[in-house]
Amino acid sequence: MHDAPFILNFATLREADRPLVGGKAASLGLLLAAGCPVPPGFALTTAAYHTFLEDNGLTGLFRLDLDRYPSLDDAAAALAARVEEAFTTAALPDTLARHLSDAYAQLGRTVGSAQPIVAVRSSAVDEDSQTASFAGQHETYLGIQGFDELARAVRRCWASAYTPRAIAYRVHRGLQLEDAAVGVAIQLLVEPRAAGVLFTLSPRTGDRSLVVIEGSWGLGQAVVAGEVTPDEYVVSKVTLEIVRKQINPKPFQYRRGGSDGTLQREELPLERAAAPCLDDAEVVELARRARELEKQFGFPLDVEWAITDIPNRGTIYFLQCRPETVWSQKERPAVTIAATNPIMAIAQTLVRPPNR
């Protein structure tokens, strides 16, 4: 691990790199390999994380003292507070800081900005797999600008692998706390007109013949945090026809705030709030891309997307991709059709979930 690089470009990453960069960053490499539009960026590897721990004497920090506290929740909260304090006050080792600074400057040269505005996303090794998603448990910081803020956001991403919720999740799944190796994905920020999530099956019923798209105005934070009821578009995966559309009031949106990753909440006029965030052509194009992506991955997906008007209207980006882990893990029961009851046989054939 000590010989591993600190920085890897997204374009070089594949599934085999998951132990080095984490699930989220590895999936960005897979998206690029599949021909999907992904904002440019790079991954800070788990070698960087381990170097940070060792150089700052933090390798023995992750002891969960269950004897001292009345519950797992209390013990997890105490450990999380210790980790956050230690990580945010410790400095990046000089060699690591230099590699990170050089990669950030190179990204700036690529996009024509001395201090590019980026999203900084935690990417744990045991995250976004088909058996453990950790979805929403590790932090993302949007709108980071400047090296000092970037270094701070990286340390906060590392610390977010040890939130009380993430600690409890690891304990319940029998995962060792000290094994929570964390990469970080650093990605040019897309300031979208609309953003959200999509699923290549129905998140309500598990129907694999559908693509379900949820979206709202501005950055996707309001959707992933459950702060708005997003628009919902249901598309047939077979025909790419929109079979259902639910447009909901979306009274505000998030925009980038300060260079430290704070977001600005912007109230919307009633007409804008009530309008659909996507037109039909954009819905169909998102569904088409999702269908093709599922074919390449071989299993149902949960994808974060954004769409921007700059430079051209309707430019779609995929920001994250993970296996869907709820319905995909449920065994679909075999359907037994009695030969003596032809009417029941026809009915069961009609309601049987498609084998996709």
Side-chain angles (χ1 to χ4, degrees):
M1 180 63 71
H2 291 286
D3 295 329
F6 289 154
I7 303 289
L8 288 172
N9 190 280
F10 289 158
T12 70
L13 300 179
R14 298 296 182 267
E15 180 62 26
D17 296 308
R18 176 184 289 269
L20 191 56
V21 298
K24 194 170 295 175
S27 75
L28 292 171
L30 295 173
L31 285 172
L32 282 168
C36 296
V38 174
F42 59 90
L44 193 61
T45 68
T46 55
Y49 169 74
H50 287 298
T51 296
F52 169 77
L53 292 183
E54 292 168 5
D55 282 22
N56 284 287
L58 300 176
T59 53
L61 184 64
F62 311 111
R63 289 190 296 271
L64 190 64
D65 194 350
L66 293 172
D67 294 332
R68 184 177 176 185
Y69 296 94
S71 69
L72 171 60
D73 288 347
D74 291 330
L79 175 56
R82 292 199 304 272
V83 170
E84 182 177 16
E85 172 69 17
F87 278 35
T88 55
T89 57
L92 296 184
D94 290 343
T95 302
L96 172 54
R98 186 169 62 253
H99 280 80
L100 179 60
S101 177
D102 290 347
Y104 181 60
Q106 179 57 49
L107 177 62
R109 288 190 290 271
T110 299
V111 300
S113 171
Q115 292 190 321
I117 301 169
V118 295
V120 183
R121 307 177 189 276
S122 59
S123 180
V125 168
D126 47 10
E127 177 181 31
D128 291 353
S129 71
Q130 288 182 264
T131 58
S133 76
F134 284 88
Q137 296 189 35
H138 301 151
E139 291 296 336
T140 289
Y141 299 97
L142 304 176
I144 299 297
Q145 187 175 28
F147 176 74
D148 289 343
E149 292 295 349
L150 173 60
R152 179 171 177 264
V154 164
R155 296 195 301 270
R156 292 167 72 192
C157 279
W158 285 335
S160 76
Y162 296 97
T163 62
R165 182 182 172 197
I167 291 170
Y169 186 79
R170 283 191 167 86
V171 170
H172 286 308
R173 296 190 70 88
L175 303 172
Q176 296 298 313
L177 295 179
E178 61 270 20
D179 292 341
V182 185
V184 180
I186 296 158
Q187 186 175 35
L188 186 72
L189 181 71
V190 172
E191 295 240 31
R193 168 176 36 98
V197 298
L198 65 80
F199 307 89
T200 61
L201 50 64
S202 168
R204 292 191 179 90
T205 67
D207 187 344
R208 296 192 182 188
S209 71
L210 302 174
V211 175
V212 177
I213 300 166
E214 299 176 352
S216 189
W217 298 116
L219 292 165
Q221 177 67 19
V223 176
V224 298
E227 296 182 42
V228 297
T229 302
D231 294 344
E232 182 183 74
Y233 307 87
V234 180
V235 183
S236 166
K237 197 183 292 180
V238 178
T239 65
L240 292 180
E241 294 177 295
I242 300 174
V243 297
R244 189 168 69 252
K245 186 188 305 185
Q246 177 66 48
I247 308 303
N248 295 304
K250 303 168 291 296
F252 65 90
Q253 65 181 3
Y254 282 114
R255 293 294 189 195
R256 174 180 176 263
S259 62
D260 61 349
T262 55
L263 300 181
Q264 178 181 349
R265 175 169 163 153
E266 178 184 352
E267 303 298 322
L268 298 174
L270 290 177
E271 183 178 358
R272 175 77 164 174
C277 67
L278 296 172
D279 63 33
D280 287 359
E282 292 165 344
V283 171
V284 171
E285 180 62 12
L286 274 169
R288 184 191 68 78
R289 288 179 179 271
R291 182 180 68 177
E292 295 305 311
L293 194 61
E294 184 187 62
K295 287 180 182 178
Q296 296 197 43
F297 277 68
F299 46 77
L301 299 170
D302 168 353
V303 179
E304 291 188 23
W305 57 268
I307 188 164
T308 178
D309 290 335
I310 303 172
N312 299 305
R313 186 175 190 280
T315 301
I316 291 172
Y317 293 95
F318 284 173
L319 308 178
Q320 291 186 48
C321 178
R322 62 178 68 90
E324 192 280 335
T325 56
V326 178
W327 290 99
S328 301
Q329 294 184 36
K330 294 185 178 181
E331 182 178 351
R332 286 179 289 172
V335 177
T336 302
I337 301 175
T340 56
N341 191 338
I343 294 177
M344 182 60 70
I346 294 171
Q348 288 181 328
T349 301
L350 290 174
V351 302
R352 182 170 48 202
N355 185 21
R356 299 187 67 82

